[in-house]
Amino acid sequence: MAKSNLQFKTNYAVSSTIEPFYKGGKVQISKDEKFIFCTCGTRVNVLQIVTGKIVHSIEQDDQEDITSFALSLDDEILVTASKALLLKQWDWKQAQCTRSWRAIHNVPIASMTFDPTSTLLATGGCDGTIKLWDVVKQYCTHNLKGSSGVVHLVEFHPDISLLQLFSSASDCGIRMWDLRSSQCLCVLQSHYSPVTSLAFTPDGASMVSSGRDKICTVWDLKSRTARRTVPVYEAVESVVLLPEDEDFSEIGVKTKEIHFITAGSKGVLRVWDASSARCVFAQTLPSAPPAGGSEEGGEEYGDPRSLTYCLPLPSSLRLATVTAEHNILLYQLPSFTTQQQFVGFNDEVLDVKFLGKGDTHIVVATNSSQLKVFDLATSSCKILYGHTDTVLSLDVFKKGSLFVSCAKDKSVRVWRQDPDSGQVCCVAQGCSHANAVGSITCSRMKESFVVSGSQDCTIKVWDLPETIPETDGDIFQLTARVTEKAHDKDVNSVAVSPNDKLLVSGSQDRLAKLWSLGAPGADLALLGVFRGHRRGVWCVQFSPMDQVLASSSADGSVKLWSLQDFSCLKTFEGHDASVLKLIFVSRGTQLLTSGSDGLVKLWTIKTNECVKTLDAHQDKVWGLHATRKDDRVVTASADSNITVWTDVTEVEQAEEQAKQEDQILKKQELSNLLHEKKYLKALGLAISLDQPHTVLKVIKAIRQGEDGAKQLEKTVLKLRQDQKESMLRYCAVWNTNARSCLDAQAVIQVMLTHLSPEELLQYQGARAHLEGLIPYTERHMQRIGRLLQASMFLDYMWQKMRVTGAPVSMDSQDEEMDTASLQVPHPLFMIDKRPGEGGDGTREQGNGEQRWNEGVAEEDGGLEEDANMEEDDDDEVSITRKASVSGQRVENGQNRKENGNHHSGSEESSGEEDRGDQTEAKMAKCQILLSAASLPPLQAIIS
C-alpha cells in the first residue's frame, strides 16, 4: 500500500554549495571585523564572518591571477595588483572597478599596504623597488630603490607624522625609509632569513619582527637598535602584540611588558614575554600529535598544521589564524578557544555523508588526513585530527551521531558527535590492515559492528563495545572479529544489508560477492558471486525494500542483481565514464548515480529510464549521500565543490498544476472576451499566453466580424510595443502557410501603413522577421498570379463559347460587348512582368500597383475559401477541372440551342452579367489576399 502511494522523484535543485574561496596568498580583516578578504586565483573573495557566506567576489577582467591586494584602514578602498602589471581600485561593496592604472614596476607586485590615513599606498615589487601612490590625487609620489630581491613586506609606521616606511626584501634586512627625503635612514640587521612580519607597539616606540630563522627580535625604533632577541624554536610566519590594557593573567601574563603571540610551523599559538624571552603560554592542539610523529616533525614547513598568518581582531578580542591547508580559524582571547573555522580550499573531496539527528551537518573526507564537519546553516566547520594519512571513506550509523572513517594509514576510527554542542571526538580505533583501507560500512539496525575493505584484498569485521566512550579521553581499541581474503584485487566497496545479515563487497577484480555475516563470532560465508561487469566495481548497495542489490563499475554501467539466483535483472547505461557511487532513493524504486564525467543521474528502476541529469561539477563526483527523510542529497567532487540538492518534485508539480489552472482560467476569459467582442483585451490576453494559434483565432474572429478591416486596424494599433513585437514574430510564422497567410498579410498591411520603417526596425528581431516575410510573400503572389491567369482563361473561353453558339446578329453584338469587356483594365498584377515587355495581356507596373492599393480595402465573404487553397499544383488541377466542367456545360447548352430550346436575349445578357460578377469577385478576393504594396516597403526597410 505504501508503494502504491509512492511518488517518483523527477528533479533536484541546488539549495546550497560549499566552494573554495581561498587558495593561498594574502588575508586581511576589515576594521569593523565583519569581513575577511582573501585571494582565490583571479578573485578577491569577501567572507562574512557571522554567516560564513561569500558576500562579494571581486574578479579581474583580464583573468590574471591577483598577486597582492590591500584594504584601506577606513574599509572604503580596495586595491588589487595582478600579473598583468595593473593596479585596480575597487568599490568592493558594489564589486565595481572605479579606476585602473599601470604599475610602473617592471615585474609583478609582491606586497602592498595603506597608511593610517588611507591616502597613501605603498607597493613592493619583485624588482626590488618600492613605489608610493596618492590614491586621492592619483599619482606616484615616491620611487624607493635600494632593496635587493623581492620586496615581500612593506609597513607604514603607525605615527603618520613621522612619515616612515619599513620594508623587507630577500636580503633579510629591515629598511627604514624617510618619506620626506625618500632616503633609507637605516637597515636593521638581526635576521638570517626573510622577515615575515612586523608588529608595532601603540606608542610607535618599539617594534617586533619575526622570521623563518626561528627568532623574534624586539627593536627600539628611537635608537634603531635591537633591544632583545627571542628564540622561539620554530619558523615564525606572523607575530601579533597582545593588547596592553587587557587582563591576560590566566595565560601567564603577569607584567605590563611587551608580550607577543607567534604563529608558525608547529601549528600552535604561543605567547612570549619580550623582556624575559620566555614562553608564558602554549596553545593545546585539538588532539594529540600524530602517531609516530615527533615535535620536531611539526617544524617542517608546509605541514598541514603549520600557520601562515595570524591577524588580530582587537575590538572583539579575537585572533584569526590561517593554516597551510587554507583553513581560517578564529580564537577567543584570552582562553584561546576555537570560535569559528572556515575551510578555504577542500582540494579533492573523496567522500561526504550527512550527520546529526536532523541531518544538519555533513562530514567530509578530503585529500587530507583531517576530517571536516560542516554546519549547513552557517558553513562553519570543525576540523577533526586523528588520522595520519589521507581519509578515503566514511559511513554514518542510523541514529546519525556516530560515524566511522578509514584512511591510507591502515586504520579505522569511530567518531561521536555531541547532539547538543556539536563537538566531535574520536571514541574508538582499529589498526590491523596491511594496506590502505579504501572502504568502510557500518551495521544498519544497531550500533554493533563495522566492516572495512582494504587494498590488501581482505575484509575485516570489527565489533563495537556495548558502551562506547563519550569523550576522546580514553579511545577504545578495536579488534577484528573476522578477517577474510575476499578478492584478488583492491576491495573498493562494502555494504551491509538492512537486516544486518548479509554483506556485499565490490572489487577491482570486476566481481561483486555476497557474504553471510551469521551470528556474532561466526566467520563470513560466501553465498554467491555476481559476474558481468567488464571493469572494476566501484560501488555496491543493497535495496532498502527488495531483495536486490545494485553495483556500479568503471565500464560506465549500473547493474541490478537478484539475491535469489545472483542473476542480472537490469542494466542502466548512460554515463560516459566510470560510475563511482550509487544510492537508492524513493524507497528503493529509483537510483541516483554519480560518475567521473561530473554528472549525477536519477534513474527509475521500473522503466530503466534516466529521469534527470544533474550537472554542477567539473570533475569526478566521489561523494553521494541522501538524508534519512530522502528529501535532500549531497554530492562532493574532485573540483573541491560540495553541493546540497533539494527534492523539488512536489514544488514543480504544484507549480505546473497552478500554471495549468491559470491557463484554463485565461482560456475561459479569452472565450468570454471574444463572445463579448472585446477584441483588444482578447488579443492582449492571447499574446500574454504566448500562444500563436490562439492569437490567430482572435485575428480571424476580428476579420470575420462586421467592418473587419477597420476593427483589425483599430485593435492592432492599440497594442503595446512588446505586443506588436510578438505579433510581428507570429506573422512571420503564419506567412509560411497558405492557410494563414491571409491573416498575416492583413496584420502586416496595418503595420506597414501606420508604422515608420525606423519604428519597425526598433522592434526586437524585426529585421530577421521582415527578411523572412519577403520570400513567402513573393511565393504567395506567384501562386495567386497563376490562379488569376487560369481564371481569366476560363472566363475568356466561356465568352467565346457563348459567342460561337449565338445567331449572326447576336454574334457581332456579343463580340463587341466581349471585346469591350476584355479591354476594361482589370486590377491584375503580373508577377512575370518586365519593363518594356509587350504582347497581349501586358500591363504597366505602376498602374497595377495603384489598382492593388485601391482594392485593398474591399472585403468579401468568400475570402476564407481562398485561404484554404492548397499549394500550386493542387490549385491548377482544380482550375483545370472547373474549366472542363464548364466546357461540358457549354456544350450541353449549345446542343440545347440546336434542338430549338433557345433562351431569350434578356436571359443571355443576365447570364453574362452573372459570369462577369463572379470574375470581379475572384479579382477582389486576390486583392484582399495579398497586398502587392507590402513588398516594396518590406524590401526598402530591409535594404
Side-chain angles (χ1 to χ4, degrees):
M1 186 67 182
K3 282 194 176 182
S4 62
N5 296 329
L6 182 65
Q7 185 178 19
F8 288 144
K9 302 182 188 301
T10 58
N11 195 13
Y12 287 89
V14 176
S15 62
S16 63
T17 57
I18 298 174
E19 299 176 331
F21 63 86
Y22 173 60
K23 294 183 179 179
K26 184 176 180 179
V27 176
Q28 188 173 347
I29 298 177
S30 61
K31 190 173 183 180
D32 58 11
E33 301 179 4
K34 293 181 179 180
F35 303 100
I36 299 176
F37 293 75
C38 46
T39 56
C40 184
T42 61
R43 305 190 308 271
V44 173
N45 289 320
V46 184
L47 178 76
Q48 191 172 29
I49 295 177
V50 176
T51 62
K53 304 292 185 183
I54 301 296
V55 292
H56 301 290
S57 185
I58 292 94
E59 186 168 6
Q60 295 278 123
D61 295 334
D62 52 14
Q63 295 298 310
E64 291 284 349
D65 286 345
I66 293 175
T67 58
S68 184
F69 74 91
L71 178 70
S72 61
L73 296 185
D74 58 5
D75 293 343
E76 293 296 327
I77 301 173
L78 176 71
V79 177
T80 60
S82 68
K83 288 183 178 180
L85 306 182
L86 284 177
L87 287 169
K88 292 194 174 185
Q89 182 176 322
W90 302 82
D91 179 2
W92 62 270
K93 295 177 182 177
Q94 304 296 329
Q96 292 181 349
C97 179
T98 57
R99 175 183 169 233
S100 64
W101 67 97
R102 287 195 63 82
I104 311 175
H105 295 278
N106 298 322
V107 289
I109 294 172
S111 59
M112 55 173 34
T113 187
F114 273 95
D115 77 325
T117 63
S118 300
T119 56
L120 284 179
L121 174 71
T123 59
C126 296
D127 55 0
T129 63
I130 303 169
K131 293 177 173 53
L132 272 71
W133 310 82
D134 189 325
V135 295
V136 178
K137 298 181 180 178
Q138 303 180 358
Y139 70 98
C140 180
T141 61
H142 297 75
N143 185 14
L144 308 178
K145 298 180 180 179
S147 303
S148 61
V150 177
V151 181
H152 58 266
L153 179 65
V154 285
E155 289 287 345
F156 282 95
H157 193 283
D159 187 358
I160 191 60
S161 61
L162 297 178
L163 284 178
Q164 290 180 353
L165 178 73
F166 293 81
S167 68
S168 178
S170 302
D171 56 6
C172 307
I174 303 172
R175 295 180 179 271
M176 180 187 296
W177 302 87
D178 181 10
L179 300 183
R180 290 187 176 89
S181 60
S182 298
Q183 298 297 319
C184 178
L185 298 177
C186 66
V187 180
L188 306 178
Q189 296 285 357
S190 173
H191 293 277
Y192 296 94
S193 69
V195 178
T196 54
S197 68
L198 302 174
F200 297 90
T201 57
D203 58 5
S206 301
M207 176 182 74
V208 180
S209 62
S210 66
R212 297 193 181 107
D213 52 3
K214 303 183 181 182
I215 63 170
C216 290
T217 304
V218 183
W219 301 90
D220 186 344
L221 295 182
K222 293 182 179 178
S223 61
R224 301 171 187 171
T225 57
R227 183 186 303 173
R228 180 175 287 276
T229 299
V230 181
V232 294
Y233 310 107
E234 68 170 335
V236 180
E237 295 295 325
S238 191
V239 62
V240 173
L241 295 181
L242 277 180
E244 295 180 354
D245 54 351
E246 298 290 339
D247 181 17
F248 293 101
S249 57
E250 65 177 275
I251 58 173
V253 178
K254 306 297 184 183
T255 64
K256 294 295 184 181
E257 296 293 329
I258 297 175
H259 289 76
F260 58 89
I261 303 171
T262 58
S265 58
K266 288 187 177 180
V268 296
L269 297 173
R270 294 189 290 176
V271 181
W272 299 83
D273 185 349
S275 60
S276 62
R278 186 173 57 90
C279 177
V280 297
F281 175 80
Q283 180 192 21
T284 304
L285 287 176
S287 64
S294 65
E295 188 175 339
E296 295 298 325
E299 294 184 16
E300 183 182 350
Y301 185 72
D303 185 271
R305 297 194 182 193
S306 64
L307 302 176
T308 57
Y309 283 95
C310 184
L311 306 168
L313 288 80
S315 300
S316 56
L317 207 61
R318 290 184 295 175
L319 205 64
T321 62
V322 182
T323 69
E325 285 206 334
H326 314 308
N327 302 323
I328 301 175
L329 294 84
L330 268 68
Y331 297 100
Q332 185 64 55
L333 298 178
S335 60
F336 283 89
T337 55
T338 305
Q339 191 180 58
Q340 284 179 284
Q341 300 180 60
F342 304 104
V343 177
F345 183 58
N346 282 313
D347 200 5
E348 189 170 357
V349 185
L350 302 179
D351 204 359
V352 62
K353 291 289 187 292
F354 280 103
L355 185 65
K357 188 175 181 180
D359 296 321
T360 55
H361 295 70
I362 55 173
V363 56
V364 179
T366 64
N367 193 18
S368 164
S369 61
Q370 306 163 8
L371 284 172
K372 300 177 178 69
V373 178
F374 287 90
D375 186 345
L376 293 176
T378 63
S379 296
S380 181
C381 174
K382 293 181 175 61
I383 300 173
L384 309 180
Y385 299 91
H387 286 288
T388 58
D389 207 340
T390 304
V391 181
L392 297 176
S393 184
L394 302 166
D395 201 11
V396 181
F397 285 91
K398 187 176 181 179
K399 292 183 179 179
S401 59
L402 203 67
F403 66 98
V404 292
S405 63
C406 62
K408 285 185 178 179
D409 60 7
K410 310 173 188 178
S411 71
V412 299
R413 284 181 177 261
V414 183
W415 308 80
R416 180 186 294 280
Q417 182 190 39
D418 187 281
D420 299 324
S421 64
Q423 296 296 323
V424 182
C425 60
C426 180
V427 294
Q429 67 172 342
C431 305
S432 63
H433 276 288
N435 208 333
V437 187
S439 61
I440 195 164
T441 186
C442 52
S443 55
R444 297 302 166 203
M445 298 183 70
K446 296 180 181 179
E447 298 173 348
S448 55
F449 64 89
V450 173
V451 181
S452 61
S454 170
Q455 292 179 10
D456 59 11
C457 307
T458 64
I459 296 174
K460 290 182 182 288
V461 181
W462 313 78
D463 284 330
L464 298 182
E466 294 184 1
T467 57
I468 300 175
E470 297 290 336
T471 63
D472 58 356
D474 185 16
I475 298 178
F476 184 83
Q477 295 298 321
L478 300 174
T479 56
R481 183 234 300 178
V482 177
T483 300
E484 185 73 30
K485 172 71 166 58
H487 292 272
D488 296 330
K489 291 185 179 180
D490 300 356
V491 179
N492 289 334
S493 178
V494 288
V496 175
S497 63
N499 60 1
D500 285 350
K501 293 182 179 180
L502 300 175
L503 171 70
V504 65
S505 60
S507 169
Q508 203 65 28
D509 61 6
R510 300 179 292 181
L511 300 178
K513 296 185 178 182
L514 185 66
W515 309 82
S516 173
L517 285 169
D523 291 338
L524 292 177
L526 181 63
L527 300 178
V529 180
F530 304 96
R531 307 175 189 272
H533 284 295
R534 300 186 302 275
R535 292 192 178 181
V537 179
W538 275 113
C539 185
V540 287
Q541 285 290 335
F542 284 98
S543 170
M545 304 297 289
D546 302 312
Q547 292 188 3
V548 297
L549 66 85
S551 62
S552 65
S553 166
D555 60 12
S557 68
V558 177
K559 291 182 180 291
L560 205 65
W561 308 87
S562 169
L563 299 183
Q564 304 295 329
D565 55 5
F566 311 111
S567 62
C568 179
L569 302 176
K570 288 179 181 288
T571 300
F572 304 88
E573 294 182 337
H575 285 278
D576 295 331
S578 302
V579 184
L580 303 176
K581 194 77 83 175
L582 67 88
I583 56 172
F584 282 90
V585 293
S586 304
R587 298 180 188 172
T589 60
Q590 290 182 295
L591 282 171
L592 269 173
T593 60
S594 64
S596 297
D597 50 10
L599 302 177
V600 179
K601 291 181 178 288
L602 175 65
W603 306 83
T604 299
I605 293 176
K606 185 176 181 180
T607 61
N608 266 51
E609 178 188 4
C610 178
V611 180
K612 188 70 178 180
T613 298
L614 309 174
D615 187 3
H617 296 285
Q618 306 299 321
D619 209 338
K620 302 179 184 68
V621 182
W622 289 107
L624 177 65
H625 193 231
T627 60
R628 289 183 286 274
K629 291 183 179 180
D630 211 19
D631 59 343
R632 286 181 296 160
V633 171
V634 62
T635 57
S637 170
D639 61 5
S640 187
N641 289 337
I642 301 170
T643 305
V644 180
W645 307 80
T646 302
D647 179 17
V648 293
T649 302
E650 293 183 359
V651 175
E652 287 187 347
Q653 288 180 350
E655 290 178 353
E656 184 64 26
Q657 184 177 356
K659 186 178 179 180
Q660 290 178 357
E661 292 175 355
D662 185 54
Q663 292 282 344
I664 292 171
L665 292 175
K666 286 185 176 180
K667 286 181 180 179
Q668 182 59 47
E669 183 182 356
L670 180 62
S671 177
N672 295 339
L673 290 172
L674 288 175
H675 182 71
E676 298 170 3
K677 296 185 178 181
K678 296 180 178 178
Y679 296 123
L680 181 60
K681 289 185 178 180
L683 196 60
L685 183 59
I687 293 173
S688 68
L689 292 173
D690 196 21
Q691 296 179 351
H693 183 68
T694 306
V695 178
L696 182 61
K697 288 170 62 177
V698 176
I699 295 294
K700 287 181 180 294
I702 294 174
R703 297 184 67 248
Q704 288 174 358
E706 295 181 2
D707 202 6
K710 291 185 178 179
Q711 186 65 40
L712 178 64
E713 179 180 344
K714 179 180 178 183
T715 304
V716 171
L717 293 178
K718 286 185 178 180
L719 294 176
R720 300 192 308 269
Q721 179 174 334
D722 59 323
Q723 294 174 332
K724 291 178 183 176
E725 290 175 0
S726 301
M727 286 291 293
L728 185 60
R729 176 162 48 91
Y730 296 157
C731 286
V733 178
W734 298 340
N735 196 49
T736 62
N737 193 332
R739 301 191 178 197
S740 55
C741 66
L742 171 68
D743 305 286
Q745 290 290 332
V747 175
I748 293 169
Q749 175 64 24
V750 174
M751 289 190 174
L752 292 178
T753 305
H754 295 87
L755 298 177
S756 64
E758 292 78 10
E759 189 176 356
L760 267 178
L761 289 175
Q762 288 179 356
Y763 290 176
Q764 185 177 2
R767 182 175 293 274
H769 298 325
L770 294 174
E771 287 176 350
L773 283 168
I774 291 176
Y776 282 99
T777 303
E778 290 177 343
R779 180 180 175 184
H780 295 317
M781 290 174 66
Q782 292 170 4
R783 180 166 52 84
I784 299 305
R786 288 192 294 271
L787 176 61
L788 278 174
Q789 291 174 10
S791 175
M792 290 304 300
F793 173 74
L794 176 62
D795 187 45
Y796 176 79
M797 185 174 64
W798 166 254
Q799 297 291 346
K800 288 303 180 184
M801 296 175 87
R802 297 270 296 181
V803 169
T804 302
V808 177
S809 60
M810 291 293 294
D811 288 347
S812 60
Q813 183 180 355
D814 287 342
E815 282 190 30
E816 291 176 4
M817 179 184 67
D818 294 339
T819 303
S821 174
L822 288 173
Q823 290 175 354
V824 173
H826 293 290
L828 297 177
F829 68 93
M830 311 303 289
I831 207 65
D832 296 327
K833 179 73 178 73
R834 298 288 185 272
E837 274 189 357
D840 297 336
T842 58
R843 299 288 185 270
E844 290 184 6
Q845 187 174 359
N847 296 335
E849 289 183 2
Q850 181 179 357
R851 285 190 288 274
W852 265 124
N853 292 329
E854 292 172 355
V856 166
E858 298 184 14
E859 187 84 39
D860 191 272
L863 282 176
E864 298 301 325
E865 298 175 4
D866 289 340
N868 294 322
M869 291 188 301
E870 298 298 327
E871 296 299 325
D872 303 344
D873 296 340
D874 297 336
D875 292 338
E876 293 173 3
V877 169
S878 64
I879 291 170
T880 306
R881 289 176 181 171
K882 290 178 182 177
S884 175
V885 173
S886 300
Q888 292 175 6
R889 289 177 180 173
V890 170
E891 276 188 309
N892 294 337
Q894 289 174 350
N895 291 337
R896 284 194 296 270
K897 288 180 183 179
E898 290 173 1
N899 293 332
N901 297 326
H902 299 288
H903 295 280
S904 63
S906 61
E907 290 176 348
E908 292 176 1
S909 61
S910 175
E912 293 166 5
E913 290 175 2
D914 293 341
R915 182 62 60 182
D917 293 342
Q918 292 179 13
T919 304
E920 294 295 332
K922 288 181 180 178
M923 290 187 291
K925 294 176 186 178
C926 297
Q927 290 173 342
I928 299 300
L929 180 62
L930 289 170
S931 172
S934 67
L935 269 179
L938 278 176
Q939 293 167 342
I941 290 172
I942 297 303
S943 62

